[in-house]
Amino acid sequence: MRAFALAPVALFISTLLAPAAVAADQPSIKGLYLMTDYPAVTIRPGTTSNIPLRLQDYGLAPERYQLSVSGVPSGWTATILGGGQPVAAAMPAPDKDVSLQLRLDVPANSKLDPQTLTVEAKGQGNQTSLPIQVALAKELPAKLTVKAQLPSLRGSPKSNFEFTLTIKNDSGRNLNVSFGAQAPENFETSFTEAYGSQELSSIPIDAGQSKDIKLHVRPPSAIDAGHFAVTATVKAGDASATADLALDVVGQPRLQVAGRDGLLSSRAVAAQQTSIPIVVTNTGSAPAENVKLSASAPSGWKVSFDPATVDRLVPGKDAEVQALVTPSDKSLAGDYMVSVNANSRGENASSQFRITVNTSTVWGMVGAGVIGVALLLMLTAVARFGRR
């Protein structure tokens, strides 16, 4: 019952406070203002500079405002731009602003004395002005910075390490920036566009702007695992900047296939299995896992390996397997080539073995027997019919 009794009182108090809350949400500023983020600037004689402006309406009805600039030194040109073109008036909507620019063309022979220019906006009932201080300075020395998005990369000796570099021209003028890289001996380096494959040696960068390029580093394939430093350098006249980069090269297995004692030849008999010793060596800097053996042989031949897989081969070690080679029963006597391959997770090696095939001695004896029988029959026939 007490809650129902207090309800009208609470409603009355909230009604009184509502206008105050609405008034607090409304901005207390009202009027017309010319504003800029940089009311004091420095310009180099002989250049053109654009100063951003805003004509802001706070709670006023729409009105046309005439724009002008006073205090412009002799020989200077001051132009108010809107939407990229010269304008003489602007009309902001209530509680909105209009973006403008003050373009200043300063002659090269201007004296280095500070100046104050005043931008004005005048309407029927409202007006505003903005003083802008302009200091003149001689050309500042060129200044460059270079920064890598990822200064340290990791990969194998077969990797192509790719660094993205951001070069910024902090000078007051446009620059043509050249670049180079200092890498360990036998490392290959090249620069390309950030989004292309065209190789570069320099690139133009406007004053105050930055551009991205890519540095490609490829280590020699025979390199051992380790940490390697690379320095990227950018230059423009007397200005230069460097970025320290790093490559972490991890170990990589490297396989070799040969016969025992380095022999790459053997002998076999047609239709008979011959065991040929095969030596697989890891000359790399990381273990080779699950090394599989395979072969490519003439048609009709059979080749298998015992064992068919070497589970693990550490760097500097070798393993011997037996290649079980069975030439086709139709193979003629002569030399044949058999390719033996070893593969371990993308690392491959192969060698060509010359296999000299001889025909079976059994068939040789059979042939000799046939020839002997034929000679015996011929001699018997000559003896018998020769007497007549």
Side-chain angles (χ1 to χ4, degrees):
M1 295 297 293
R2 181 180 297 175
F4 285 107
L6 295 176
V9 177
L11 179 61
F12 176 73
I13 294 174
S14 63
T15 304
L16 293 177
L17 294 178
V22 173
D25 293 337
Q26 294 178 349
S28 58
I29 301 176
K30 187 174 183 179
L32 182 70
Y33 296 89
L34 265 170
M35 297 181 290
T36 181
D37 293 336
Y38 310 104
V41 297
T42 300
I43 300 176
R44 182 167 55 91
T47 63
T48 298
S49 181
N50 290 328
I51 302 172
L53 307 173
R54 298 189 307 277
L55 181 61
Q56 177 73 55
D57 179 322
Y58 286 111
L60 300 178
E63 185 177 350
R64 182 181 186 275
Y65 298 100
Q66 193 72 24
L67 303 174
S68 62
V69 183
S70 60
V72 180
S74 176
W76 290 31
T77 301
T79 307
I80 297 179
L81 304 177
Q85 61 185 2
V87 295
M91 181 181 290
D95 296 320
K96 300 292 183 180
D97 64 29
V98 174
S99 296
L100 303 169
Q101 283 185 324
L102 173 61
R103 172 172 172 170
L104 297 178
D105 296 288
V106 181
N109 58 355
S110 298
K111 295 181 179 180
L112 302 182
D113 297 330
Q115 305 291 337
T116 300
L117 284 67
T118 302
V119 182
E120 299 177 327
K122 293 183 178 181
Q124 292 296 325
N126 299 282
Q127 65 180 30
T128 185
S129 62
L130 173 65
I132 296 178
Q133 297 177 357
V134 180
L136 299 185
K138 293 183 178 180
E139 182 176 344
L140 298 176
K143 183 180 178 182
L144 294 171
T145 59
V146 57
K147 184 178 180 181
Q149 294 182 7
L150 297 173
S152 182
L153 299 179
R154 179 184 176 91
S156 72
K158 294 185 177 181
S159 300
N160 183 15
F161 296 85
E162 187 177 275
F163 299 91
T164 299
L165 304 177
T166 300
I167 306 173
K168 186 176 182 181
N169 177 9
D170 287 323
S171 308
R173 68 182 189 278
N174 301 340
L175 296 176
N176 188 50
V177 182
S178 60
F179 24 80
Q182 183 178 359
E185 186 177 3
N186 297 326
F187 278 58
E188 297 180 4
T189 61
S190 62
F191 292 88
T192 64
E193 301 168 310
Y195 302 100
S197 58
Q198 180 64 46
E199 291 195 13
L200 305 172
S201 60
S202 63
I203 193 171
I205 304 179
D206 292 341
Q209 301 299 312
S210 61
K211 286 187 178 181
D212 291 343
I213 61 172
K214 286 186 177 181
L215 168 60
H216 303 267
V217 182
R218 182 180 292 276
S221 59
I223 196 171
D224 293 331
H227 183 83
F228 301 91
V230 176
T231 301
T233 303
V234 296
K235 293 183 179 181
D238 296 333
S240 64
T242 60
D244 293 327
L245 312 172
L247 284 69
D248 287 313
V249 180
V250 298
Q252 177 79 11
R254 190 176 299 110
L255 300 177
Q256 290 182 353
V257 176
R260 184 185 294 167
D261 298 327
L263 296 177
L264 295 176
S265 63
S266 186
R267 292 182 175 274
V269 177
Q272 293 185 12
Q273 180 176 284
T274 301
S275 180
I276 302 174
I278 303 296
V279 178
V280 182
T281 306
N282 181 6
T283 61
S285 56
E289 308 285 351
N290 195 28
V291 182
K292 296 182 179 180
L293 282 299
S294 62
S296 177
S299 177
W301 287 41
K302 296 179 180 179
V303 181
S304 60
F305 295 90
D306 183 24
T309 301
V310 178
D311 294 334
R312 180 180 174 86
L313 191 58
V314 298
K317 299 296 182 179
D318 56 45
E320 183 175 293
V321 300
Q322 298 298 317
L324 307 178
V325 180
T326 304
S328 170
D329 57 358
K330 298 180 181 180
S331 298
L332 301 177
D335 292 337
Y336 297 82
M337 300 304 295
V338 175
S339 177
V340 177
N341 310 301
N343 179 279
S344 173
R345 299 179 181 177
E347 177 63 25
N348 298 283
S350 65
S351 289
Q352 295 284 338
F353 285 77
R354 186 180 75 250
I355 308 298
T356 301
V357 175
N358 297 321
T359 56
S360 174
T361 57
V362 174
W363 289 106
M365 294 175 62
V366 171
V370 172
I371 294 174
V373 172
L375 289 175
L376 181 60
L377 291 175
M378 184 179 66
L379 291 175
T380 302
V382 170
R384 177 180 297 180
F385 294 104
R387 296 174 182 176
R388 297 179 182 179

